[in-house]
Amino acid sequence: MLKNFQESDRSGLLLAVLVVTGIIGNHLLPINVGGINLFFFRLLLILFSPFVFRNFRLLNFRYNSANFWFIHFCFFWVIYGMVSLLFIKDFMEGFKAWMALVWGVVIFIMFCQLMLMTGKKMPYYFCIGLLLANLICIPVALWELTTLNHLKGYYITNLPDYALDRKIAIAFLENPNGYAYFMVLSQPFLYYLYTIARSRFLKFIVLMA
C-alpha cells in the first residue's frame, strides 16, 4: 500500500510538472533536431516515458469499450499520416506535420496514463500544476505591460508596427486570446483547489493567482 501511495505521488508530481512546462512550451530550452522542435516539455515526455508506460493501463480494457476504439483510432491516424508521406511533394513539411500529430497523440495518451497512475489525487496535482503555471505567467505578463516587451513568438513577430505600443499580455501563450482563455479556464480549478486546501498558506497562494 505504501508503494502504491508513493507511486501515486510521484505520478502526481510529474503530472504537475508537465502541466507547467506544457504551458511554458517552446520558450524553455528550445532545441531543433533535424527540423523537429524539441523543448523542455517534450524532453520530459521522452525522459519519463519509460516510467509512465512501464504498466500501460490504458490498454487493459475490453475490445468493445469506447476507450479501446478511441486509442486505436489515434494509432490509425498516426499510421495513416506516415503512409501519406509517400505521396506528398514536400516531404520535410509533411514530416513536420506528421510529427506534430505524433506528439499530440503521445501527449494525450501520456496524460491519461498519468491520471490513472495518480488515482484519486489526480485533481489535486493537476490543479497544483495550473496554480504554478499561473504564478509563473503573472510576472511575465506584468513585465510585458510595464515594458511593452514580449517573449519571441509568431504573434509578436507578425504584429504590425502601429500595434507594438499597445499594452497586451501574452506570457507564454503565443497571443493575448490564448492567455486570456488560460486565465479564465483556470479559475474553476483554482477555486476547487482553494476549497480542498488545508493549508492557509496554500489558500493564500491560490488567492494571489
Side-chain angles (χ1 to χ4, degrees), residues 21-101:
T21 55
I23 293 298
I24 297 176
N26 59 4
H27 294 286
L28 183 61
L29 199 62
I31 302 174
N32 191 290
V33 181
I36 301 175
N37 293 321
L38 294 177
F39 39 90
F40 194 68
F41 172 68
R42 290 180 174 178
L43 292 175
L44 282 180
L45 292 177
I46 297 172
L47 180 63
F48 286 99
S49 57
F51 165 73
V52 175
F53 293 124
R54 72 184 188 277
N55 181 17
F56 194 26
R57 303 176 186 177
L58 284 177
L59 294 181
N60 294 340
F61 39 67
R62 298 178 180 178
Y63 71 91
N64 60 347
S65 68
N67 292 346
F68 177 90
W69 292 110
F70 185 80
I71 294 297
H72 284 76
F73 182 71
C74 292
F75 290 148
F76 165 77
W77 274 112
V78 170
I79 297 173
Y80 177 79
M82 183 172 60
V83 174
S84 300
L85 293 176
L86 301 174
F87 305 99
I88 61 175
K89 295 181 180 180
D90 193 334
F91 178 83
M92 283 307 301
E93 289 299 320
F95 180 73
K96 291 179 182 179
W98 179 72
M99 283 303 302
L101 171 65

Side-chain angles (χ1 to χ4, degrees), residues 5 12 18-19 40 44 51 53 56 68 92 98 115 146 150-151 159 169 180-181 186 191-192 206 208:
F5 173 81
L18 288 177
V19 170
F40 194 68
L44 282 180
F51 165 73
F53 293 124
F56 194 26
F68 177 90
M92 283 307 301
W98 179 72
M115 288 178 179
T146 54
H150 305 279
L151 299 175
L159 200 65
Y181 293 148
S186 295
Y191 174 75
Y192 169 76
V206 173
M208 292 295 292

